[in-house]
Amino acid sequence: MATTEEQLDRQRRIKRTTMWLALLALAFYFGFIYLSVSGARG
Amino acid sequence: MSASHTHDTHAAGHDDHGPMKGWRRWFYATNHKDIGSMYLIFSLVMFLTGGAMAMVIRAELLKPGMQFVDPGFFNSMTTMHALIMVFGAVMPAFTGLANWMIPLQVGAPDMALPRMNNLSFWILPFAFSLLLLTLLVPGGSPAGGWTLYPPLVLQTGDAFPMAIFAVHLMGASSIMGAINVIVTIMNMRAPGMTLLKMPLFVWTWLITAYLLIAVMPVLAGAVTMLLTDHYFGTSFFNAAGGGDPVMFQHIFWFFGHPEVYIMILPAFGVVSEIIPTFSRKPLFGYDAMVYATASIAFLSFIVWAHHMFTTGMPLVGEMFFMLSTMLIAIPTGVKVFNWTATMWKGSISFETPMLFSLSFLFLFTIGGFSGLMLAIAPADFQYHDTYFVVAHFHYVLVPGAIFSLMAATYYWLPKWTGHMYNEKLGKLHFWLSTIFVNVLFFPQHFLGLAGMPRRIPDYSTQFADWNFVSSIGGFCFGLTQLLFVYNIVSCVRGGVKASDKVWDDATPHGLEWTVSSPAPYHSFEVPPEVK
């Protein structure tokens, strides 16, 4: 059985990984729109 | 790899509880098994819906001339069939398998983010209701193909914003599902389960999830720009305003090609679980399989323009995309070699999951070879937008992705339900599916090479014979899938009791076989120790 400290540590790691992955997804979303805007000739 | 002790009971002494009663169990579900089951049922319903649309397409193409539907509706059917099969059937089915099997295979009690898991699933029925409702609005549902190319797609009527919103919802669901998979695998593995001890299904899903996070937002960005072009006066893809419609194709295929691997890498994982079990040998070249999967995923990002050779691009661009596409044959060849080597001198038995896996091996390889033909830029100028392309990607997706889903269902269904399915019926389903899938799709190679364009409701009489054969194959393949549905429903309702190991005569590896059959509502509350 995992100790409370281990559980808390796991919770922290889960939150951190989730946040980074969500940021990565947002970066791809806005990054591609930005690339399209900057690449437009008009 | 082995677990130090078995976990076939609910963990005693915890706040152990069963599922909620009635609709609340499903609507408020946070249990990975419940959510996995909902994903699988949803994808089966979508498979039958998309399949019904395929029947309309094949009925119209049975004979030359217009038979049943008008050309606009025919185009809607090809578009909706593709969107539903890709986003509603294949992707949710693999997510369902991931939900059910990843926690069981890594020794975790559940997915890391169970409430987000609930949201990921429940978005889907709304998204697909919205998409299907487009059939009823003025102007009809989208009919410009699943690729949504402008300016054609901008001619869609009132259905346009509904379809765009539906695509956004599907994307959001997939991204949340992918985040959940990665977070679970990276943080919830049982003690001792290092990355290179994970089952191949888990590995392939980990890599697939990264692909999803990288490319689903790109699709979302592309369709957002379509929306602003249509309603807010922007000119991303409008040449008259300084935009470029071909840029949409680049962005779409930057998403679209990895999407192909999103649908096939988990299939590789499934087959890599099943072939060793029924060959009674460990998987040949486990490490190489992992590296090959990662290589395919990497290469999938640098090959997108092979879908667009005919748009015109500099020669050096054609050379780059042709050669990078051909490179994918190397890691894929490693995989096919390793599955074959796993069977070499194995004590093979031919239960239904193994039969579907073998069929996958042969028929997916045919789809791979026709892909290599299409990768040759000068040849692609002839094949582009013909039925040869339709034959190619259907070989990859039907006897490829969908056969692997059927193999996975037969393989793990006894673990999920606690009952064995009807093996005779399973084998009948396999043989009829394998015969008719070839009757359905193989003639389409000939049609394409003879010059029949895709996405047309009528055709010249020289294409009549093979279209007739293909349609007959299609109807029979469609009817055969009712056997699959019947077998699943019968197995869920009852049948011969499955043992915990299920495949007692074979050699199934992995933690999922250490829990009871059916898998208990809560498993691995005490993490197993992996040696």
Side-chain angles (χ1 to χ4, degrees), chain B residues 89-100:
Chain B
V90 176
M91 288 172 70
F94 280 124
T95 312
L97 287 182
N99 263 288
W100 249 104

Side-chain angles (χ1 to χ4, degrees), chain A residues 1-2 10-11 13-15 17-19 21-22 24-30 32-33 35-37 39-42, chain B residues 14 112-113 168 175 179 182-183 186-189 210 213-214 217-218 220-221 224-225 236 241-243 247 251 254:
Chain A
M1 183 63 195
R10 175 179 279 186
Q11 284 299 326
R13 281 189 288 126
I14 285 173
K15 272 187 189 162
T17 319
T18 308
M19 193 191 69
L21 292 171
L24 186 64
L26 286 171
F28 272 99
Y29 179 71
F30 288 110
F32 266 76
I33 292 179
L35 282 175
S36 305
V37 173
R41 290 188 303 261
Chain B
H14 295 277
L113 305 158
H168 271 129
I175 291 166
I179 289 175
I182 296 174
V183 176
M186 299 314 283
N187 296 294
M188 305 277 282
R189 298 194 308 279
Y210 275 107
I213 288 177
V218 177
T224 303
M225 288 185 272
F236 288 109
M247 186 173 70
I251 301 172
F254 185 83

